[in-house]
Amino acid sequence: MSEYIWQQKGWPYLTWNNKELLHVLGEVRNRQGRLAGKASLLGVDFKKETLLKSITTDVIKSAELEGRALDINLVRASVAGRLKIRLTEQIQTDPRIDRMVQVMIDALQNYRQPVSEETVFSWQEALGQDESNAARFYRSAAVFEPEADGDGLFYIQNPAVIPDEMRRFLKWFNTIHPTDPLIKAGVAHLRLTFIHPFNEGNGYIARILTDIFLTRADGFPQHLYSLSAQISKQRELYNRVLRRAQNGNLDITEWLLWFLYCFETALIEAEDMLTHTLEKSKFWEKYRLIRLNERQVKMINLLWERSDCKLTSSYWANLNLCSPDTALRDIQDLINKKILHRKSSGGRSTCYELN
């Protein structure tokens, strides 16, 4: 038996056990339906807010997996600009971050379109550290990703075969198969990861291609979850399952099971976030006729976003650059309107929370 999966006779024609996957696939499909149902209950503004949050998280976590830390405010501003969402604060965007965001959003919005070799090159060029034409070429050397325990990931070592591997991969990617798009998403992620066509940005591109299949499975380009965030949380397990697939045969059932469970976790978290957003939407609907000033609206939204926020009058005054007396008047007004109540007492330590 050959050492690595891509050295097996029959690569890249991977196999899996449909019976083992069927139950998990059904659960994931059910979760997708529940998420879409809750999303349909959101108003336009809250749906945009949810979309802004999920795509921002996905861009940040996907870059984090590539070893790049991005400023959340810059990413959020860039995503908002691409989605034509108006933010209260004006933030100067970063051209490099703009390119990363554009790649992801364009891919999601055009999820039904074929992906060409030229498309992948343009993604790599946009995601690269510079804008040189070097991104127009595949890697020309063997690559190995070391781990602390010495058991890292090997990729296809012969760079001469990468152009053919990529052409074969993209032909498969663009061909309509009866295979469920969720399964194809897991297969695409695995294949592109092991081909590792570029010197950098391979993981980001693999996740973009994965998201295209996931979006096809959803049937609409509303990216309300973040698979990248889940992979980031389970990175050690993710690498362990990939290593086992790397050293195994052409049966990738174990990898696909893990991939589906990981995606299901992303859907569960997205559903929890939507539930929270729906509660927030109902809250504002209840108080829509109540007159509030800008400071009050700002702080109420803050309390919705940060459940750990200890709201005191001094915190209110500092955040709104107003006097302590103004802060107390704002807070007392919200108490009178049954929006806030005192959480604890004790002079300066008095805290307030939403009813």
Side-chain angles (χ1 to χ4, degrees), residues 283-290 337-339 355:
F283 172 89
W284 281 117
E285 178 62 24
K286 179 180 178 180
Y287 293 105
R288 65 188 174 85
L289 299 179
I290 302 296
K337 290 171 178 174
K338 310 298 183 184
I339 293 176
N355 277 324

Side-chain angles (χ1 to χ4, degrees), residues 23-36:
H23 175 70
V24 182
L25 193 60
E27 289 292 326
V28 174
R29 282 299 194 181
N30 182 47
R31 287 282 178 190
Q32 281 183 297
R34 289 172 58 175
L35 186 65

Side-chain angles (χ1 to χ4, degrees), residues 122-138:
S122 68
W123 289 349
Q124 170 61 12
E125 193 170 19
L127 299 173
Q129 299 288 349
D130 56 57
E131 299 182 52
S132 68
N133 289 326
R136 295 283 165 177
F137 300 95
Y138 295 121

Side-chain angles (χ1 to χ4, degrees), residues 1-8 194 241-252:
M1 182 170 130
S2 301
E3 188 173 4
Y4 300 117
I5 188 172
W6 54 84
Q7 295 173 323
Q8 302 286 331
F194 286 150
V241 178
L242 276 178
R243 284 197 293 272
R244 286 204 288 267
Q246 163 193 277
N247 294 306
N249 54 33
L250 297 176
D251 188 312
I252 58 168

Side-chain angles (χ1 to χ4, degrees), residues 104-165:
M104 176 169 285
I105 292 180
D106 284 352
L108 292 174
Q109 290 179 341
N110 299 298
Y111 68 99
R112 294 191 184 279
Q113 299 300 315
V115 176
S116 67
E117 195 171 34
E118 183 63 26
T119 302
V120 177
F121 277 131
S122 68
W123 289 349
Q124 170 61 12
E125 193 170 19
L127 299 173
Q129 299 288 349
D130 56 57
E131 299 182 52
S132 68
N133 289 326
R136 295 283 165 177
F137 300 95
Y138 295 121
R139 64 176 166 92
S140 58
V143 179
F144 168 66
E145 183 179 289
E147 291 283 326
D149 59 7
D151 185 19
L153 281 170
F154 280 95
Y155 306 105
I156 290 179
Q157 297 297 292
N158 182 4
V161 305
I162 289 176
D164 285 339
E165 286 282 351

Side-chain angles (χ1 to χ4, degrees), residues 180-194:
D180 191 293
L182 293 180
I183 300 296
K184 287 195 74 172
V187 175
H189 190 101
L190 186 77
R191 281 184 63 176
L192 199 283
T193 297
F194 286 150

Side-chain angles (χ1 to χ4, degrees), residues 55-212:
I55 294 180
T56 298
T57 299
D58 214 42
V59 171
I60 289 173
K61 291 301 180 180
S62 195
E64 191 178 281
L65 287 165
E66 297 300 297
R68 297 172 67 176
L70 302 180
D71 186 307
I72 185 172
N73 292 318
L74 292 177
V75 175
R76 186 169 179 269
S78 183
V79 174
R82 291 287 300 171
L83 296 178
K84 295 181 172 54
I85 298 173
R86 187 175 180 180
L87 299 177
T88 54
E89 70 277 17
Q90 295 297 317
I91 299 173
Q92 189 68 35
T93 57
D94 182 311
R96 277 176 38 195
I97 291 177
D98 284 343
R99 292 196 298 271
M100 295 178 71
V101 169
Q102 181 179 348
V103 164
M104 176 169 285
I105 292 180
D106 284 352
L108 292 174
Q109 290 179 341
N110 299 298
Y111 68 99
R112 294 191 184 279
Q113 299 300 315
V115 176
S116 67
E117 195 171 34
E118 183 63 26
T119 302
V120 177
F121 277 131
S122 68
W123 289 349
Q124 170 61 12
E125 193 170 19
L127 299 173
Q129 299 288 349
D130 56 57
E131 299 182 52
S132 68
N133 289 326
R136 295 283 165 177
F137 300 95
Y138 295 121
R139 64 176 166 92
S140 58
V143 179
F144 168 66
E145 183 179 289
E147 291 283 326
D149 59 7
D151 185 19
L153 281 170
F154 280 95
Y155 306 105
I156 290 179
Q157 297 297 292
N158 182 4
V161 305
I162 289 176
D164 285 339
E165 286 282 351
M166 284 300 294
R167 281 190 284 271
R168 187 162 53 171
F169 169 78
L170 291 173
K171 182 179 179 181
W172 168 83
F173 189 94
N174 293 317
T175 300
I176 297 174
H177 299 99
T179 306
D180 191 293
L182 293 180
I183 300 296
K184 287 195 74 172
V187 175
H189 190 101
L190 186 77
R191 281 184 63 176
L192 199 283
T193 297
F194 286 150
I195 295 172
H196 207 79
F198 301 107
N199 290 318
E200 62 174 14
N202 295 281
Y204 204 97
I205 291 174
R207 288 184 289 276
I208 289 171
L209 291 168
T210 302
D211 278 341
I212 288 176

